Amino acid sequence: MGDFFSNLSLGFGVALTPLNLGLAFLGCLVGTLIGVLPGVGPIATIAMLLPITFGLDPTGALIMLAGIYYGAQYGGSTTAILVNIPGEATSVVTALDGHQMARQGRAGVALGIAAIGSFFAGTVATLVIAALGVPLTGLALIFGPTEYFSLMVMGLVFAVVLARGSILKAIAMILVGILLSTVGTDLETGEERMTFGLPILSDGIDFAVLAMGIFGIAEIMRNLDHTEHRDVVRQAIGRLLPNKEDFRQSYKPVLRGTFIGAILGILPGNGAVLGPFAAYTLEKKLAKDPSRFGRGAIEGVAGPESANNAGAQTSFIPLLTLGIPPNAVMALMVGAMTIHGIIPGPQVMTKNPTLFWGMIASMWVGNLMLLVINLPLVGMWVRLLKVPYRLLFPAILMFCCIGIYSINSLPTDVMFIGLFGFVGYMLIKFGFEPAPMLLGFVLGKLMEENLRRALIISRGSLETFIERPISAGLLAVAAILLVIALLPSIRKGRDEVFTE
């Protein structure tokens, strides 16, 4: 226990330096801003801001990027409640009851309970990360290349099972991502692979270019597709602090939501996105009068919002301890860490304890800042919602191009984000989810390295993956999951859950 507290105090020592406080505040502010503006998600924003982090030290850079991620979860709920447009994929559920509450003149209470539930969930999740960090890292140090390879295979299978739409499409996207990660110079022989003799491809495809094209540019094109009508609430926002009755109705949903979100967030794949949906379904099942849901039930805001924030933060666990990104945002974090020369995984805690614990402490500080940013400034966010898209998108496009050019000063990079943007747009049009591709791309390089190491150690014998118990166990879990997901009855159920 003493160890735990000494680690946390080390973390707060790092997080409370003026520079890191400023970066956390900036991250939370930018996060809330993009959460509020529909159409620009945290993935696109973090991809756009990667170039800015080059000048910062790694801890500060990651504190800022993490702030953007969980800030967007808060901001997304504001738009969902006031405008009935979820600013974030995870705030879709909040819109169901939150917007109805706003129409009844209780927007303030909905926003208040969302922020308080999120803060509580964030605090619990931060403690969970701190508590699980040490034992998980101890476990991870037993891992050799064989186990790592199997763990990544399992992570990708989870990503397939939890992705939206058809399973075959998700598998296809992951394989395309892995293929793209092999473009460039071979790690061991120095031979060029799939570069078509183009010198610009000999270093491989730049991670930031792929992410910004597939998520930033494609997102803009998709938003230009459909005209957006905004149903901004005309009623007064009203008091922000929920009263005794509101608290009585919502404290249990907050506890249950935090628990569900924290567990689902740890799962590789899209676990964090499923949290709010699971919490909403559970609250509806447990309610004495389920017909209230969808008509402004406060539980329908409290549960999902808590699950959302808990999941957003516990999804850092697989990233920080095992080096495996569970979702597209965490894949961007891996990109940011590698840019700064940090190899994500169990060594982070032993080699860079200040980075690890500083980041964890900064999450709690960030959650506190978000309470301050969100509740008193609600009026400002409402005004921002009136900015027309025709002004917003050219600005975003310009930032994308400047940002990507500033990394390597290559005009070809700007052309590449245009190309990937078009590809990403077509993928969305044809019902392919682009997130698994980014995961495949990030994990592809690591998988190749570990596969080769494992085969060198075992002198080329593939049996090593089955002979080592941990590796065999992980592969077995992956195989069982795939088989279950492909069973017709389960597949139908899975499709129904996603359509709901």
Side-chain angles (χ1 to χ4, degrees):
M1 241 6 228
D3 208 23
F4 175 74
F5 285 114
S6 64
N7 282 330
L8 269 187
S9 63
L10 166 77
F12 276 109
V14 175
L16 295 175
T17 60
L19 176 69
N20 287 344
L21 274 177
L23 287 168
F25 182 73
L26 185 69
C28 292
L29 195 66
V30 171
T32 309
L33 176 69
I34 35 150
V36 168
L37 293 173
V40 195
I43 302 177
T45 310
I46 292 176
M48 282 183 246
L49 292 182
L50 273 181
I52 297 177
T53 64
F54 289 175
L56 301 170
D57 73 307
T59 313
L62 288 170
I63 283 176
M64 183 177 90
L65 294 177
I68 292 175
Y69 175 46
Y70 50 83
Q73 313 295 335
Y74 268 80
S77 65
T78 307
T79 329
I81 291 168
L82 296 177
V83 201
N84 204 13
I85 302 172
E88 245 307 274
T90 40
S91 29
V92 175
V93 200
T94 312
L96 299 175
D97 281 287
H99 190 63
Q100 293 306 320
M101 282 178 73
R103 292 199 141 162
Q104 295 156 18
R106 299 182 64 206
V109 176
L111 289 167
I113 204 71
I116 292 164
S118 294
F119 175 70
F120 174 75
T123 307
V124 172
T126 307
L127 290 172
V128 170
I129 300 177
L132 281 181
V134 180
L136 267 177
T137 313
L139 172 81
L141 291 175
I142 314 167
F143 278 31
T146 336
E147 285 81 5
Y148 265 118
F149 176 77
S150 306
L151 183 68
M152 288 173 202
V153 170
M154 188 182 82
L156 289 179
V157 168
F158 259 111
V160 166
V161 176
L162 296 177
R164 269 157 203 236
S166 110
I167 287 192
L168 280 176
K169 283 183 177 172
I171 294 176
M173 290 314 293
I174 282 183
L175 291 176
V176 169
I178 293 176
L179 259 178
L180 286 175
S181 76
T182 57
V183 172
T185 312
D186 185 304
L187 295 168
E188 301 194 356
T189 59
E191 287 288 319
E192 291 198 349
R193 304 184 288 195
M194 296 194 268
T195 56
F196 301 106
L198 294 172
I200 41 171
L201 284 179
S202 59
D203 277 344
I205 294 169
D206 196 314
F207 172 76
V209 173
L210 182 74
M212 203 182 285
I214 295 277
F215 288 104
I217 309 281
E219 194 63 30
I220 295 174
M221 290 169 75
R222 196 181 60 105
N223 279 312
L224 291 176
D225 234 16
H226 45 87
T227 46
E228 185 94 9
H229 82 100
R230 300 183 185 182
D231 174 17
V232 179
V233 170
R234 299 272 175 269
Q235 283 94 333
I237 287 181
R239 61 185 165 83
L240 286 168
L241 275 182
N243 58 21
K244 258 191 186 154
E245 178 56 24
D246 295 330
F247 273 122
R248 195 187 59 71
Q249 284 179 327
S250 48
Y251 81 94
K252 281 183 183 155
V254 167
L255 291 171
R256 287 190 287 257
T258 304
F259 179 71
I260 294 175
I263 290 178
L264 284 174
I266 299 175
L267 293 182
N270 235 351
V273 175
L274 295 181
F277 291 93
Y280 190 80
T281 318
L282 178 73
E283 290 312 320
K284 208 166 167 178
K285 289 237 161 67
L286 291 173
K288 289 186 182 120
D289 173 18
S291 66
R292 282 177 49 240
F293 281 80
R295 297 203 185 128
I298 193 165
E299 301 93 326
V301 176
E305 270 306 301
S306 309
N308 176 4
N309 249 46
Q313 298 199 342
T314 52
S315 59
F316 279 92
I317 294 178
L319 171 76
L320 290 172
T321 53
L322 305 169
I324 291 209
N327 55 33
V329 176
M330 293 299 132
L332 288 165
M333 290 287 188
V334 169
M337 286 167 112
T338 24
I339 285 170
H340 285 285
I342 294 164
I343 298 159
Q347 292 85 11
V348 172
M349 196 186 289
T350 42
K351 285 186 185 162
N352 297 26
T354 48
L355 173 94
F356 184 87
W357 294 104
M359 201 164 156
I360 288 175
S362 82
M363 285 181 192
W364 188 80
V365 176
N367 271 308
L368 199 57
M369 286 177 176
L370 282 165
L371 267 184
V372 178
I373 292 174
N374 276 287
L375 293 182
L377 299 180
V378 163
M380 182 175 93
W381 302 124
V382 177
R383 277 195 208 94
L384 256 179
L385 285 171
K386 296 181 177 145
V387 176
Y389 267 161
R390 59 174 194 279
L391 300 178
L392 202 60
F393 286 130
I396 296 173
L397 241 164
M398 186 181 74
F399 280 126
C400 276
C401 296
I402 294 172
I404 208 69
Y405 184 74
S406 68
I407 300 183
N408 300 321
S409 310
L410 289 174
T412 44
D413 281 357
V414 181
M415 284 145 74
F416 266 131
I417 60 169
L419 170 74
F420 284 130
F422 181 69
V423 171
Y425 173 69
M426 294 314 290
L427 287 173
I428 298 169
K429 274 277 176 245
F430 287 118
F432 287 87
E433 179 106 0
M437 180 164 106
L438 195 66
L439 278 183
F441 181 77
V442 167
L443 288 179
K445 285 190 173 64
L446 298 167
M447 279 174 82
E448 187 192 359
E449 269 180 50
N450 284 305
L451 175 66
R452 286 186 152 181
R453 278 185 203 149
L455 289 176
I456 289 170
I457 295 168
S458 69
R459 308 224 169 149
S461 149
L462 283 170
E463 284 166 15
T464 176
F465 293 104
I466 307 160
E467 282 165 359
R468 300 185 65 126
I470 299 180
S471 164
L474 293 169
L475 286 176
V477 170
I480 293 166
L481 262 176
L482 253 187
V483 171
I484 291 176
L486 288 168
L487 289 176
S489 56
I490 304 267
R491 204 155 84 194
K492 215 170 87 202
R494 173 178 170 278
D495 292 344
E496 277 166 18
V497 169
F498 278 118
T499 35
E500 251 183 60

